[in-house]
Amino acid sequence: MAGSLAGADGVFWIGVLTVVGLLAWLGFGMARNRKPDLYQPRKLFDELCKLHRLDRREIVLLHTLAKERQLEMPALLFVHPEHFTPGLRHDDDGYVEALAAMRTKLFGDEPTIERPAAA
Amino acid sequence: MSKRGRRVNAALTATFELLAKTKNEAAVPVLISALDSTSPVIATAAVRAILQRRCPTGMRQLVGRFHEMSDAWREVIREFHGRLLPALRDAVLSGDVHLVENGCDAARLFCEYDLIPTLLVALEDDANPYRETVARTLIDLADALFQDLAGERDERRRRDPQLSRRNAVSALESSVRRFPRHQRLEPIEAFLQLTTRDNAALTGLLNDVRESTFVPLLQVLHGSNRPGVLRLLIGFLDDARPPSAGLASLFRRNDRKCVDALLRKFHGEPSQAIRHNLRHVDHVGWLGEHALIDELEDGPQQAVVRLATTVNLKRDEIVKVLEHLALRGKPGARRAALEALRPFNGADANTVVLRALRDNDVYVRAAALGQLRPRGIPGALSTLIDALDSPARPERDAARANLEEFNLKRFLPAFDMLEEEVRKTTAALVRKIDYTAPQLLREELESPQAKRRMRALRMIAAMDLAKDLEEAVLLRADDDDHLVRVEAVRVLAGLTTPSTQEKLLALAADSSYAVREAAWNAIEESGRGGGLSLEELERLRESFSEQADAAHRASQNGAPPAAPPITYPQMPPTASEVGYGG
């Protein structure tokens, strides 16, 4: 009788271990296959700032501008030179000049582009 | 551009390079937003970056904006040929009228042949409300691919049109087999436009009348004006074992385009394979349409003649076509038709030949002349003899060619047996017909037999060839045989050239009495005596005769026979000195 109980316990624990192992394997597999979140607007903005070697003051300026223009993605500033034209209510000459300098830095006076080779 | 400007532009370039390459999906809405930029440079750079990223959302945006695209955008898309294809597929199957139209227009503009399978899916869908748009696009793409195949390969497209054709034909072939389900003729037309005559599926479908696609295939083969379909039909002619339905379709069509394409095949002599295939064709629909034939140029009309005489038509049908062309065709075709009529006997063909004798074109008349005697047309001989005097060389040649029995070789043995009148008539004919007669007579004058030389001289006189053969006759005037010399003198009697005059005067002192008499007769008859009166000539004659007799006697007494010691008392001036004949 005692022998049969010991055998039943053994089967139980083997079953438990098997289920745990299976769950662990599935969990690892899913974690490994899960794609990283590639949609990161904030990171894109950082990448662009880094690309253009903008300093903290310039980054703050872009953030301020993005907030002012109510842009969901600050990275949009890098493709829209028209956002760098100050609004009428701005009378801060320093701010206006900074925007103009930034616009020129990112787009130039006449925004033409050098064509890279076709991929 | 300033140094600063160049640096900044490089910055903008760097921005778009990053947006094109980064794995961050946030770049996509940024690029899509840039498409709306007021700066064309930034917008075009965004198009390029979207295509580089191959992002479906961005490419869908491009298709959606196709109708308002600038040339710069289109150029960039052309540069990235094939990148837009997934978006075009989505657009065609989207069910959105705007996207379907844009997708179809873009496929046409960028020659996206790989879209054909997708177009077929859309076309075969009964529920698709834009089937007509899709069908038009399918046909246009097949046309463009056909032109691509015919032209030079565009290396910029980095695409082999033959490969595109194979893919397209494979998809179209499947669609053709599904015809009972979709009942659309466009896939069949596109298939026939692009396939080749050695396509096994095509041959199978055209050889099996029980196939559900047999009738629609014939329907397209009979009605389509697509160059590829015409090429396919014409190509059946060169096939060793063409499907009979295909061949029958070709000859059933009577539209100008097909007729022109067919006749181009007959510009030269048809090949053996074509001749073999045409033996099975017993009906050509348009051959009875004279209005259509009349519209054709000379070359194609001549091709009609070749075609009509190669196919297996009934005798009356062929003669009818040839009759029409011989009487109302262009000049070259009239000649060709008359020549082609040669093997056809009968009153109808004879009438055509007789009417052709009054044709404006000299070559047509010549061709007609050539058929008079073989056809046994009454009055042929007199017509041909009249034609010998035609001012037109082709007519004279044709007449000569048909009066070949009047030649010198046949005339020579018969000459002596003919009556004078017949001899004269025949000699005149032989002179006109046999251009080799003078040469043959020249050879005859060199014959070792004196009889033949004499006969040749008489023939020269009868044929009035003395002037042409003067030199050869003058040589015979020195012949050893005095009878030959006499004949030569008679021939020369008709000439007034200085050399002949001199020779006649020289012969007036010939050792032979007969020759002297003949020479004096010739001089007197023609009134040529170096300006001397008849009495003076008579005295001169007597003096010559005495001296000649003396020389003859001396030779009989042992003196050398040659160079008789004739002196010329009161020798008249030579013919050249008094200016005879010249």
Side-chain angles (χ1 to χ4, degrees):
Chain A
M1 186 71 179
S4 67
L5 281 173
D9 281 350
V11 170
F12 172 75
W13 285 113
I14 287 169
V16 168
L17 284 173
T18 306
V19 169
V20 168
L22 195 64
L23 287 173
W25 180 75
L26 283 172
F28 278 122
M30 284 174 70
R32 196 176 55 195
N33 290 335
R34 193 177 65 191
K35 287 181 181 171
D37 187 6
L38 293 176
Y39 186 82
Q40 295 174 318
R42 174 75 203 205
K43 196 177 169 191
L44 180 67
F45 179 75
D46 292 345
E47 279 181 65
L48 287 165
C49 289
K50 193 177 167 188
L51 177 75
H52 293 289
R53 293 177 184 165
L54 303 184
D55 59 25
R56 177 169 291 281
R57 190 178 53 82
E58 289 170 323
I59 294 169
V60 170
L61 177 69
L62 288 180
H63 272 300
T64 309
L65 184 60
K67 200 171 178 183
E68 186 184 306
R69 298 289 182 183
Q70 297 176 331
L71 299 178
E72 280 183 26
M73 297 173 67
L76 288 171
L77 289 172
F78 287 86
V79 295
H80 284 290
E82 65 272 17
H83 288 318
F84 291 83
T85 308
L88 287 174
R89 61 193 175 85
H90 275 290
D91 49 4
D92 183 348
D93 290 343
Y95 179 67
V96 171
E97 278 175 20
L99 283 184
M102 181 60 77
R103 184 189 191 282
T104 307
K105 185 171 185 176
L106 297 181
F107 302 101
D109 296 327
E110 293 175 341
T112 53
I113 192 162
E114 294 165 8
R115 277 170 54 146
Chain B
M1 191 186 289
S2 69
K3 190 178 172 185
R4 184 181 167 207
R6 207 175 294 132
R7 183 176 60 78
V8 173
N9 282 340
L12 192 56
T13 304
T15 298
F16 278 100
E17 277 184 5
L18 185 140
L19 291 172
K21 287 176 184 168
T22 181
K23 288 181 180 172
N24 194 332
E25 291 292 335
V28 175
V30 173
L31 286 171
I32 290 173
S33 169
L35 291 176
D36 295 322
S37 172
T38 50
S39 160
V41 176
I42 290 177
T44 308
V47 173
R48 182 180 295 278
I50 285 172
L51 290 168
Q52 281 176 321
R53 281 189 73 84
R54 300 170 193 256
C55 57
T57 322
M59 292 197 291
R60 264 199 298 279
Q61 283 289 329
L62 291 181
V63 175
R65 294 159 192 247
F66 178 78
H67 59 287
E68 57 186 21
M69 262 185 193
S70 68
D71 287 344
W73 284 28
R74 292 180 180 193
E75 198 50 47
V76 173
I77 292 173
R78 203 169 272 129
E79 203 177 307
F80 287 86
H81 178 83
R83 288 281 169 91
L84 211 54
L85 191 63
L88 293 179
R89 285 195 187 113
D90 291 345
V92 168
L93 299 174
S94 67
D96 178 306
V97 60
H98 170 70
L99 277 178
V100 171
E101 280 178 2
N102 273 13
C104 287
D105 289 346
R108 268 194 288 259
L109 182 74
F110 301 125
C111 295
E112 291 287 3
Y113 307 131
D114 294 338
L115 196 67
I116 286 177
T118 310
L119 290 173
L120 290 171
V121 170
L123 186 62
E124 291 178 26
D125 180 5
D126 291 340
N128 189 334
Y130 313 116
R131 287 169 93 191
E132 294 309 318
T133 309
V134 171
R136 276 199 307 276
T137 310
L138 177 69
I139 292 294
D140 289 347
L141 275 182
D143 285 348
L145 179 51
F146 178 78
Q147 282 174 4
D148 249 13
L149 287 161
E152 285 182 11
R153 188 179 164 189
D154 186 353
E155 290 297 335
R156 282 182 314 168
R157 289 185 181 165
R158 286 171 287 173
R159 168 181 59 179
D160 181 4
Q162 291 293 349
L163 185 66
S164 300
R165 187 229 287 256
R166 274 200 292 278
N167 295 338
V169 166
S170 170
L172 288 165
E173 190 183 307
S174 307
S175 183
V176 169
R177 290 187 189 282
R178 292 192 294 269
F179 175 81
R181 211 177 70 201
H182 58 71
Q183 297 288 316
R184 300 291 307 205
L185 287 176
E186 292 86 355
I188 294 180
E189 189 165 21
F191 172 66
L192 293 175
Q193 163 92 321
L194 294 175
T195 192
T196 51
R197 66 170 195 269
D198 52 6
N199 182 292
L202 173 71
T203 314
L205 292 171
L206 281 177
N207 279 332
D208 191 353
V209 288
R210 290 165 303 175
E211 276 280 354
S212 52
T213 49
F214 183 78
V215 174
L217 270 169
L218 288 193
Q219 200 178 331
V220 176
L221 283 174
H222 290 164
S224 174
N225 272 331
R226 304 272 151 207
V229 178
L230 292 178
R231 177 195 50 81
L232 181 72
L233 280 171
I234 301 295
F236 285 141
L237 283 175
D238 292 314
D239 203 317
R241 294 182 68 186
S244 54
L247 215 52
S249 297
L250 170 63
F251 288 100
R252 197 183 140 174
R253 292 184 60 148
N254 57 0
D255 53 293
R256 183 65 194 269
K257 260 190 169 179
C258 186
V259 170
D260 283 343
L262 175 63
L263 292 178
R264 271 197 291 276
K265 205 78 184 163
F266 287 85
H267 268 190
E269 275 303 307
S271 68
Q272 199 58 39
I274 293 178
R275 284 180 178 281
H276 173 78
N277 286 330
L278 291 187
R279 276 206 290 271
H280 305 293
V281 176
D282 54 8
H283 178 71
V284 183
W286 53 269
L287 273 182
E289 291 183 24
H290 292 168
L292 190 147
I293 293 175
D294 291 344
E295 281 174 12
L296 299 172
E297 294 299 317
D298 200 345
Q301 282 191 349
Q302 292 179 48
V304 173
V305 173
R306 279 184 216 108
L307 173 70
T309 49
T310 314
V311 290
N312 189 23
L313 295 183
K314 286 177 188 156
R315 184 253 178 216
D316 286 353
E317 286 177 297
I318 301 174
V319 172
K320 239 177 189 172
V321 175
L322 296 180
E323 175 186 347
H324 180 76
L325 282 167
L327 300 177
R328 292 182 191 83
K330 308 280 187 303
R334 296 206 298 275
R335 283 173 229 159
L338 263 184
E339 282 303 325
L341 210 54
R342 199 178 278 274
F344 296 96
N345 295 320
D348 48 357
N350 291 354
T351 309
V352 175
V353 171
L354 284 172
R355 287 178 69 182
L357 285 173
R358 297 192 295 273
D359 197 284
N360 291 330
D361 186 274
V362 64
Y363 291 99
V364 177
R365 294 199 301 270
L369 278 171
Q371 294 187 33
L372 291 178
R373 290 188 79 188
R375 289 180 179 280
I377 293 176
L381 202 62
S382 60
T383 309
L384 286 169
I385 290 171
D386 288 346
L388 287 171
D389 295 322
S390 164
R393 168 107 195 222
E395 277 186 285
R396 291 200 305 272
D397 287 347
R400 275 180 46 235
N402 284 273
L403 293 167
E404 274 181 340
E405 70 269 33
F406 293 95
N407 59 53
L408 193 80
K409 277 186 182 165
R410 290 184 67 175
F411 188 39
L412 265 173
F415 182 77
D416 289 328
M417 293 179 282
L418 296 174
E419 287 176 20
E420 187 59 28
E421 196 57 33
V422 180
R423 192 185 278 179
K424 268 189 178 174
T425 318
T426 313
L429 276 177
V430 171
R431 185 189 172 181
K432 285 176 185 173
I433 293 163
D434 190 354
Y435 286 177
T436 64
Q439 182 54 35
L440 288 175
L441 285 171
R442 237 182 231 113
E443 290 168 11
E444 200 66 12
L445 286 174
E446 299 295 327
S447 168
Q449 295 174 32
K451 265 190 170 179
R452 286 179 64 180
R453 296 200 297 274
M454 284 165 63
R455 184 182 62 184
L457 286 165
R458 283 201 299 278
M459 288 182 86
I460 288 170
M463 291 170 73
D464 198 17
L465 282 171
K467 206 170 183 180
D468 298 327
L469 299 169
E470 184 184 3
E471 281 181 28
V473 176
L474 283 171
L475 286 174
R476 290 287 65 91
D478 294 329
D479 200 286
D480 294 338
D481 192 314
H482 71 285
L483 290 176
V484 175
R485 294 204 299 279
V486 169
E487 285 298 342
V489 167
R490 283 177 186 156
V491 175
L492 291 172
L495 299 178
T496 55
T497 59
S499 49
T500 299
Q501 293 301 304
E502 284 174 22
K503 181 56 74 182
L504 284 176
L505 285 169
L507 289 170
D510 194 275
S511 57
S512 160
Y513 172 78
V515 176
R516 290 200 305 273
E517 279 299 305
W520 281 113
N521 283 341
I523 292 168
E524 282 175 11
E525 273 173 24
S526 56
R528 290 161 302 189
L532 302 176
S533 64
L534 275 177
E535 291 76 24
E536 287 170 327
L537 273 173
E538 195 55 43
R539 277 201 301 276
L540 191 63
R541 180 181 179 174
E542 283 169 10
S543 161
F544 272 30
S545 294
E546 284 167 12
Q547 287 185 40
D549 289 341
H552 184 62
R553 282 194 299 276
S555 68
Q556 283 181 338
N557 295 336
I566 297 171
T567 54
Y568 293 86
Q570 298 175 331
M571 182 63 193
T574 61
S576 55
E577 282 168 348
V578 296
Y580 284 138

